[in-house]
Amino acid sequence: MGRRGASPPPGADARRGPGAPSPARSAPPRVPGAFALGDRDRGRLRKRLEQAVSRARRARGSASAGDGVLAALTVPAAHDVDPSAVVFGSRRPGEPWFCTEQPDRERMALATLGCAVALEAHGPQRFHEVAARWRALAADALCDAADARGAGLVAAGGFAFAPDGGASPHWAGFAPASLHVPEVALARTGDEVALTVAVLARPDDTAEGLLARIEQRLGELRSAPLALLDPDPVGRYQVAGSAPPEHYEAAVARAVERIRAGALEKIVLAREVQVHAPAAHDAAAIYGVLRAGFPSCFCFCAGRGDAAFIAASPELLIRREGMRASTLALAGSTRRSADPSVDDHLGEQLLQSGKDRVEQAIVARRIERALRPHSVWVAAAEEPVIVKMTNIQHLATPIRAQLARPVGAVRLAGLLHPTPAVGGEPFAVAGPLIPALEGLDRGWYAGPVGWTDTNEDGEFCVALRCALLRGALARCYAGVGVVRDSDPAAELAETDVKLAALLPVLAG
């Protein structure tokens, strides 16, 4: 990548412990707290800030000035730090924040606070535009090397399903393409936790002013357990579809007619169910329940303004690690059973289902076709496997690729999105039909959500099993793939199975 500041390996003095001596009387005031920088790291950061300000001033007025120059520092944090709990406990009113975890994968977690730079776009080229801006910022950034999953300088956020999706008032703050470079990021893999602070240096800034801003931010960080759901809430919850079930069944029936007439092979149709609570939904408490109950899923929560988009998604869209890319074709589902023999029988029925196998094959074929022009080879499992989640099981086909040239995670997400698992085949036909039949603004539902680092590695999941929280109202989304043999009543029942991931948590 581009130029970076020196990054000596952190030693025992990487963080100033509670017993460290106070700074000299002539030095600027130091920020107390568990996340304060030690003298050595503070010196490294100051040097980078000086370099960033100097570089920004040299570029003043030129076409290359762009957004400014990013300066960042990554240091180890205590092993017992819970990244998401720190973010939920340290949010400033109205500021953006983001958490994502997959507990079963080496306790992977990334949690971010604030926004040093917002990378936003809309329209068909939104992935390309965001990727290009991030590449330019990362190439000129003064930061430590990204040598661990999610550690270091990152951009995190998501994309709407449609090029201009999220125009409805309830999606305010969730732009069609929106990645934020956070002011503070905490990344965990296994028992290792890394803390990164970042700031954008502009020509009129000073190193001392930027350093003071960062230290104030670090002084506000708090580490406390996530809030718990109220076990006995006062008041009643109301759960209702935004449209009657008959509307959804009719939409499925019309889609089947189009498919049987030869217009398309598959289309995914979603429905929205609203949960009206007696008090504001607590995103932190809901997130805590999801990561504990769905440890194999991508559990995430993205906060924008007074709203939060939260999910426990089973579907990886793309993971990029160097020249390797991996994804998962996920389509076809059935319920779980507490009886192991019945559960296995349900899974075997799913494997033998002609309707579900056709749906799965459509998704896998399209993903392979999208990756092949950019890869030396693409390998997919010969047969789908059963993937079991807490309340549902799916047909899944793992797909891997060796890239022929460096294509970043954001660009790869744009190449794959939307897969037939959330859109349709061919999408040129299915795309205009989806909003016409659903009657919904999907916003970020079924869009890519995740992160990328300065190497352009990263991962994005598909926003499924999700809800948009705004005050006392939660909008839950679930969809199914419609093919020629789909039965409207059965497809409605499948959305109920998928909604069961969140509704019990949201509805008291």
Side-chain angles (χ1 to χ4, degrees):
M1 291 302 295
R3 296 163 291 185
R4 294 186 176 88
S7 178
D13 62 341
R15 291 172 58 229
R16 185 166 64 93
S22 300
R25 188 179 299 274
S26 60
R30 301 297 301 277
V31 177
F35 296 94
L37 296 175
D39 291 336
R40 178 167 169 261
D41 290 320
R42 191 169 186 266
R44 291 170 56 207
L45 178 58
R46 183 199 297 274
K47 182 176 180 180
R48 287 184 189 174
L49 294 172
E50 291 170 349
Q51 293 172 328
V53 170
S54 176
R55 190 179 297 174
R57 289 172 179 170
R58 289 198 303 270
R60 189 200 299 263
S62 69
S64 62
D67 293 292
V69 179
L70 281 168
L73 181 75
T74 301
V75 297
H79 298 319
D80 60 350
V81 166
D82 180 341
S84 297
V86 172
V87 164
F88 277 110
S90 308
R91 293 174 291 163
R92 291 172 175 170
E95 78 171 343
W97 44 274
F98 179 82
C99 300
T100 182
E101 297 190 41
Q102 196 176 17
D104 276 358
R105 187 160 61 96
E106 298 183 271
R107 302 177 66 227
M108 186 273 164
L110 174 65
T112 73
L113 271 176
C115 179
V117 183
L119 309 175
E120 298 192 340
H122 62 88
Q125 297 300 311
R126 66 196 190 283
F127 289 92
H128 174 78
E129 292 173 13
V130 166
R133 279 191 68 197
W134 172 242
R135 187 178 306 115
L137 278 167
D140 207 34
L142 296 155
C143 60
D144 298 288
D147 56 2
R149 189 185 302 135
L153 191 63
V154 297
F159 297 79
F161 174 79
D164 291 299
S168 300
H170 55 270
W171 282 106
F174 295 86
S178 180
L179 298 185
H180 287 174
V181 182
E183 295 174 343
V184 176
L186 286 154
R188 181 183 66 205
T189 300
D191 291 328
E192 300 299 317
V193 182
L195 166 69
T196 299
V197 290
V199 69
L200 186 71
R202 295 184 173 87
D204 294 331
D205 288 320
T206 66
E208 282 300 321
L210 294 175
L211 181 60
R213 186 194 309 172
I214 290 172
E215 292 203 299
Q216 179 182 352
R217 175 96 251 198
L218 290 174
E220 296 173 3
L221 298 185
R222 302 289 181 266
S223 185
L226 291 178
L228 300 177
L229 282 178
D230 186 348
D232 188 22
V234 176
R236 296 181 59 187
Y237 290 82
Q238 293 183 338
V239 180
S242 58
E246 294 80 9
H247 170 87
Y248 186 76
E249 290 184 329
V252 172
R254 290 197 296 273
V256 169
E257 289 176 3
R258 299 286 187 96
I259 293 169
R260 290 177 178 173
L264 68 168
E265 285 185 87
K266 174 186 177 180
I267 186 170
V268 176
L269 297 178
R271 56 190 287 243
E272 176 186 291
V273 173
Q274 299 180 2
V275 180
H276 297 263
H281 290 283
D282 188 336
I286 295 167
Y287 185 79
V289 172
L290 292 182
R291 70 177 185 178
F294 299 88
S296 62
C297 289
F298 295 90
C299 298
F300 70 77
C301 190
R304 301 294 171 87
D306 63 347
F309 185 52
I310 194 164
S313 174
E315 186 168 350
L316 171 69
L317 178 64
I318 192 68
R319 178 178 297 124
R320 196 255 203 181
E321 298 170 296
M323 298 296 281
R324 299 186 303 276
S326 55
T327 181
L328 188 70
L330 197 73
S333 58
T334 190
R335 64 183 177 87
R336 298 292 308 273
S337 171
D339 184 324
S341 61
V342 174
D343 196 57
D344 290 343
H345 178 66
L346 290 169
E348 186 61 29
Q349 282 185 318
L350 183 60
L351 274 174
Q352 301 304 322
S353 166
K355 177 259 183 188
D356 291 294
R357 291 291 289 262
V358 166
E359 187 181 345
Q360 167 66 208
I362 291 170
V363 177
R365 270 200 315 270
R366 167 92 83 76
I367 290 175
E368 290 182 74
R369 283 203 308 267
L371 289 174
R372 196 164 285 122
H374 307 277
S375 306
V376 176
W377 51 259
V378 179
E382 292 185 4
E383 293 287 326
V385 297
I386 294 292
V387 175
K388 295 179 184 286
M389 307 295 172
T390 301
N391 71 316
I392 196 169
Q393 43 191 327
H394 298 279
L395 283 180
T397 301
I399 299 173
R400 297 177 297 114
Q402 179 72 25
L403 298 174
R405 60 184 185 279
V407 182
V410 174
R411 178 110 186 278
L412 287 169
L415 291 172
L416 293 180
H417 174 77
T419 73
V422 294
E425 185 69 14
F427 188 69
V429 178
L433 273 179
I434 288 172
L437 293 175
E438 289 179 346
L440 297 176
D441 179 356
R442 287 189 174 188
W444 280 21
Y445 164 68
V449 173
W451 59 272
T452 183
D453 64 17
T454 52
N455 294 329
E456 294 191 80
D457 287 343
E459 61 185 32
F460 288 85
C461 70
V462 182
L464 304 175
R465 317 294 190 271
C466 55
L468 176 66
L469 313 177
R470 194 179 291 274
L473 176 61
R475 300 172 185 266
C476 306
Y477 301 89
V480 298
V482 180
V483 294
R484 65 179 300 112
D485 294 328
S486 290
D487 172 68
E491 301 296 8
L492 177 67
E494 185 175 331
T495 65
D496 288 335
V497 173
K498 293 175 177 177
L499 287 165
L502 271 172
L503 281 180
V505 182
L506 294 168

